[in-house]
Amino acid sequence: MQAVLSFEQAPPIAAPFRFFLTAPVFTGLAGLLLMVDGPESLSSRWTGGALALTHLLAVGFVLQVMLGALVQILPVVAGANLKRPLLVASLVHTLFVLGALLLVAGFLDIFPFAFPLAMTLLGTAVGFFLLAGLLSLRGVPSTSASISGFKLALASLAIVLLLGLLLAGSMAGYWAVPMLLVTQLHVNWGFAAWGLGLLSAVAYVVVPMFQLTPGYPVWFSRYFGSVLTVLVLLTSLLLLWAEPEWVAVFQVVVIWLSAAFCCLTLWLQARSKRAIPDVTQRLWRLAMICGLLACSLWMLVHLVPSLDDWPAWPILFGVLVLVGGFMSVIVGMLYKIIPFLVWLHLQNRGRGKVIAPNMKAVLGETKMKRHLQAHLATCALLIAAVFWPEMLSRPAGLALLVASGLLLANLCSAIGVYRRHARLVDERLAILAEGVEA
Amino acid sequence: MTDDHRRCDDVFAEVEQAVAKGDWVGASECFGHFSSGVLQHFATEESLLFPAFEQKTGMFMGPTQVMRGEHVQMRELISAAAEGLANKDADAYSGNAETLLIMMQQHNMKEENILYPMCDQHLAEDAEALLPQLQSELKAD
């Protein structure tokens, strides 16, 4: 069935916002953990601290904002309306937040039943979201690269979730899986197929939209997502069949493809028609540069075998991809989506009789710039902390905590504008209605 | 119609460049061209494309009604941005222009991904009669 456009069916503002608001709390917790745990959690990717940090960032921030954004963007880009969006959003959000906290508690070994509880809550939350999302996309024709990208990314998320459940169950002692192998699969599907898959599907729309760049070449946007997913799938099958030479070949192609996406995006950005690059544009540029650095690091380690013995390289890779890459892009997106949604909902509420404050009046450039600086400092300190963990891991944690606090404060100030103006709108409309009656 | 959307974005970028250089006269002039182009596009859709779609499908309160509502909101933003330019108030202009830009882009996306394919599907038989009319209306400015 062809989806029908309607503002009434667009989700209420509270549906996506609840995800956005709790996400910086998780990065703040990651900062705190790094301050408490210090160099220990950066010594190897397999320490409980490193795993907890990774999941505070990847699940607590990246996945959480992505879910919130999908609640909003699916109806606009794909015309796919979620049924009862507020109910779906609050249910998924509550289970998700509790599940993510329990997962972290599991890695830190805080209490015995954390893993099984986390598996139940996170599994239900993400599983339910996937069901609602895929049901809403069912029957929506893939008329654009973004729509088919969304479908592929959601299917990949299902695989990431299943692999994660397998790993958590194994850690809780319910069953035994080859941890190294399944972790590799979980990371491949999480970073490449789901993460980059979704990011690219969104980028085709928002890079030209927000940054006034030329569009991505059609041949690229049409095939990138599916080629990426097929390559990840082939790599996974080869890993399972234990064909290490072929695995290496396909993984190199995935890395080259990811690097090509970063290069192409940087190239498009260099052709932006904007007079002055805004905060969003700078965050995207930072993300693409970090993505390229991560790809280069991966290539270097595989070209120079002695580097492979350096236990900290996967941590550096993770910092570049998660904090420098995904977090930067996501913050850049939040700084467009949130002011726009506040304006849109206020505008609809005012019914053309009360004018809504424009985006820059909702969230000023100065506030965003202050956070951008804190985020840049965090990235630099985290990267340096991988080399000098004793000296810099705690300052890096503090920087992450401060940056998260600034992000949260900015989001809250935008919501403050929404609340105050919504009250004003209701009062004015009531006065106007009384005037009509009188 | 999709090409026409792209042209709007180009003019928008030019205005932004002029404001950044402090060239208020050039910016106002350019914005004038931009807004008349956009308003012409709205008018064409509202007077030709939407009624044809509504007649053919019988959907009078459906997607076309939503698009008309969005046109009203964008007209308001256009006049607020023009006012900002007239007052040489860079913040007022850029805030409204930024909002207009995203509103316009997401509106275009809905039309291009959802409404135009529906039009192509339902109005295929009438295309021969409708297309020249649409083209001459769009060129009218």
Side-chain angles (χ1 to χ4, degrees):
Chain A
M1 201 195 86
Q2 186 87 44
V4 174
L5 292 173
S6 164
F7 263 142
E8 283 67 50
Q9 280 166 301
I13 198 162
F17 269 40
R18 64 187 60 231
F19 291 91
F20 301 158
L21 265 179
T22 42
V25 176
F26 281 84
T27 51
L29 285 175
L32 266 181
L33 178 61
L34 193 53
M35 285 172 72
V36 174
D37 226 19
E40 168 70 22
S41 46
L42 296 182
S43 58
S44 146
R45 66 185 283 206
W46 303 107
T47 57
L51 289 168
L53 276 179
T54 310
H55 288 82
L56 277 169
L57 300 174
V59 177
F61 189 81
V62 177
L63 179 58
Q64 181 161 211
V65 178
M66 281 173 162
L67 293 185
L70 278 172
V71 168
Q72 180 63 39
I73 208 172
L74 283 178
V76 178
V77 178
N81 286 308
L82 286 175
K83 289 208 173 85
R84 325 233 0 220
L86 199 55
L87 183 73
V88 172
S90 27
L91 206 66
V92 169
H93 177 254
T94 312
L95 295 174
F96 184 92
V97 167
L98 291 174
L101 288 172
L102 283 162
L103 179 68
V104 172
F107 287 124
L108 295 175
D109 209 4
I110 293 177
F111 67 96
F113 295 109
F115 274 125
L117 283 171
M119 285 164 69
T120 316
L121 294 177
L122 267 184
T124 314
V126 181
F128 184 56
F129 176 87
L130 282 169
L131 196 70
L134 288 169
L135 276 180
S136 75
L137 274 172
R138 195 187 51 176
V140 173
S142 297
T143 44
S144 73
S146 293
I147 300 178
S148 49
F150 286 141
K151 291 179 181 171
L152 274 177
L154 284 175
S156 304
L157 177 61
I159 296 175
V160 181
L161 174 70
L162 286 176
L163 292 166
L165 288 173
L166 271 181
L167 288 165
S170 181
M171 286 188 86
Y174 291 121
W175 48 71
V177 294
M179 294 296 271
L180 275 180
L181 174 73
V182 182
T183 306
Q184 200 175 351
L185 293 174
H186 180 65
V187 174
N188 282 355
W189 282 93
F191 278 176
W194 154 249
L196 186 56
L198 182 67
L199 174 61
S200 58
V202 173
Y204 307 146
V205 178
V206 300
V207 170
M209 178 201 280
F210 293 153
Q211 307 176 26
L212 297 182
T213 71
Y216 284 79
V218 177
W219 57 266
F220 184 88
S221 52
R222 184 173 295 160
Y223 298 112
F224 178 76
S226 35
V227 170
L228 185 72
T229 315
V230 169
L231 282 170
V232 173
L233 182 68
L234 282 174
T235 315
S236 309
L237 293 175
L238 290 164
L239 271 169
L240 292 171
W241 286 328
E243 297 270 1
E245 293 86 20
W246 283 104
V247 170
V249 171
F250 281 102
Q251 266 185 332
V252 169
V253 183
V254 170
I255 292 287
W256 274 106
L257 212 59
S258 313
F261 172 81
C262 296
C263 286
L264 178 57
T265 307
L266 282 171
W267 185 81
L268 289 173
Q269 281 189 319
R271 272 145 198 80
S272 164
K273 286 176 266 176
R274 291 224 97 138
I276 313 148
D278 62 6
V279 171
T280 298
Q281 204 157 346
R282 289 187 208 174
L283 283 162
W284 269 80
R285 198 172 293 161
L286 170 69
M288 294 305 124
I289 292 170
C290 286
L292 271 182
L293 286 175
C295 293
S296 317
L297 173 69
W298 197 95
M299 295 302 282
L300 196 67
V301 168
H302 288 78
L303 285 174
V304 187
S306 60
L307 273 176
D308 208 6
D309 301 330
W310 181 38
W313 88 260
I315 305 261
L316 183 57
F317 185 83
V319 166
L320 287 169
V321 172
L322 274 176
V323 184
F326 284 116
M327 262 182 77
S328 304
V329 165
I330 285 174
V331 171
M333 301 284 293
L334 283 177
Y335 281 159
K336 291 285 177 189
I337 298 173
I338 287 185
F340 179 70
L341 288 181
V342 167
W343 172 83
L344 182 67
H345 283 272
L346 286 174
Q347 184 71 18
N348 287 335
R349 199 180 181 117
R351 288 183 235 151
K353 293 180 181 114
V354 188
I355 300 289
N358 67 56
M359 284 170 68
K360 294 213 167 141
V362 173
L363 185 56
E365 193 84 1
T366 330
K367 284 181 178 167
M368 296 190 269
K369 274 192 186 139
R370 202 176 306 142
H371 172 234
L372 172 67
Q373 281 158 358
H375 179 70
L376 282 171
T378 307
C379 292
L381 277 168
L382 274 171
I383 291 170
V386 177
F387 296 94
W388 300 284
E390 292 294 334
M391 192 168 60
L392 290 175
S393 53
R394 289 195 168 87
L398 179 65
L400 181 56
L401 181 66
V402 171
S404 309
L406 286 174
L407 175 60
L408 186 62
N410 285 349
L411 301 189
C412 287
S413 90
I415 288 170
V417 171
Y418 175 77
R419 291 226 169 106
R420 279 194 299 279
H421 196 86
R423 251 200 318 271
L424 192 86
V425 167
D426 293 347
E427 281 167 16
R428 293 241 177 104
L429 287 181
I431 292 169
L432 285 172
E434 272 170 29
V436 171
E437 274 169 31
Chain B
M1 296 298 272
T2 302
D3 290 344
D4 212 42
H5 281 165
R6 292 291 97 80
R7 224 172 45 224
C8 288
D9 308 348
D10 286 347
V11 193
F12 183 89
E14 272 174 50
V15 183
E16 204 182 55
Q17 299 276 4
V19 172
K21 283 183 214 137
D23 174 11
W24 293 102
V25 179
S28 284
E29 214 169 89
C30 202
F31 192 78
H33 286 304
F34 164 75
S35 64
S36 63
V38 174
L39 296 176
Q40 183 63 44
H41 181 96
F42 291 171
T44 308
E45 288 186 337
E46 286 170 10
S47 64
L48 284 171
L49 189 67
F50 293 174
F53 177 84
E54 286 161 352
Q55 287 298 332
K56 194 78 184 179
T57 60
M59 286 162 64
F60 287 91
M61 298 307 289
T64 47
Q65 206 49 34
V66 179
M67 293 297 109
R68 283 199 181 93
E70 294 193 356
H71 286 173
V72 172
Q73 293 184 323
M74 286 186 280
R75 284 190 182 107
E76 276 169 21
L77 284 169
I78 288 175
S79 55
E83 206 178 292
L85 281 181
N87 299 334
K88 298 189 180 173
D89 181 342
D91 284 343
Y93 168 74
S94 69
N96 283 302
E98 179 80 25
T99 316
L100 172 64
L101 174 69
I102 299 186
M103 182 74 209
M104 214 162 72
Q105 300 273 14
Q106 65 99 37
H107 173 82
N108 294 354
M109 212 152 51
K110 285 182 185 171
E111 289 192 339
E112 286 167 23
N113 281 343
I114 303 161
L115 187 69
Y116 293 171
M118 284 169 92
C119 285
D120 286 343
Q121 190 186 333
H122 292 288
L123 301 176
E125 298 159 24
D126 312 318
E128 270 177 43
L130 198 59
L131 269 179
Q133 281 185 50
L134 285 174
Q135 273 156 0
S136 70
E137 275 287 314
L138 286 175
K139 277 186 200 129
D141 70 315

